[in-house]
């Protein structure tokens, strides 16, 4: 379930027993929420992952979309007629086929 930040802050106020906002200010609670989200991203970036298609360019260096930080995996090649699966391999194996 997706919660809005305001809903999370309201739930936190209930747990903190601060319904009148006397102990914790709004900016302070939002700062804690932001810190928690940042920490979660550091520990588990896959929690914020999205699936999508990326058009690749010639060469080994590629870029991810502007809204992305990193590329986790590539599942298959959508430009191939059979949408062939991507197989991980080593440089040594590649060198045997095309030195």
């Amino acid at each position: 379930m997706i919660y809005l930040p305001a809903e999370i802050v309201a739930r936190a106020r209930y747990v903190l027993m601060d319904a009148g906002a006397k102990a914790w200010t709004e900016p302070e609670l939002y700062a804690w929420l932001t810190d928690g989200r940042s920490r979660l991203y550091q520990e588990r970036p896959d929690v914020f992952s999205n699936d999508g298609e990326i058009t690749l360019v010639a060469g080994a260096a590629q870029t991810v979309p502007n809204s992305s930080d990193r590329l986790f995996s590539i599942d298959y090649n959508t430009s191939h007629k059979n949408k062939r699966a991507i197989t991980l391999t080593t440089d040594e194996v590649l060198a045997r086929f095309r030195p």
Side-chain angles (χ1 to χ4, degrees), residues 10-24:
R11 291 179 69 184
R13 285 209 183 282
Y14 177 77
V15 172
L16 295 168
M17 294 183 278
D18 188 29
K22 294 184 182 359
W24 302 89

Side-chain angles (χ1 to χ4, degrees), residues 31-74:
W32 280 109
L33 181 60
T34 302
D35 291 348
R37 189 176 191 278
S38 296
R39 183 67 179 155
L40 179 60
Y41 182 75
Q42 289 173 353
E43 295 295 322
R44 294 278 314 274
D46 60 301
V47 170
F48 300 99
S49 69
N50 291 318
D51 291 340
E53 291 186 12
I54 298 175
T55 303
L56 303 178
V57 296
Q62 304 295 321
T63 59
V64 295
N66 290 338
S67 62
S68 302
D69 234 11
R70 63 185 73 171
L71 177 66
F72 289 106
S73 67
I74 300 173

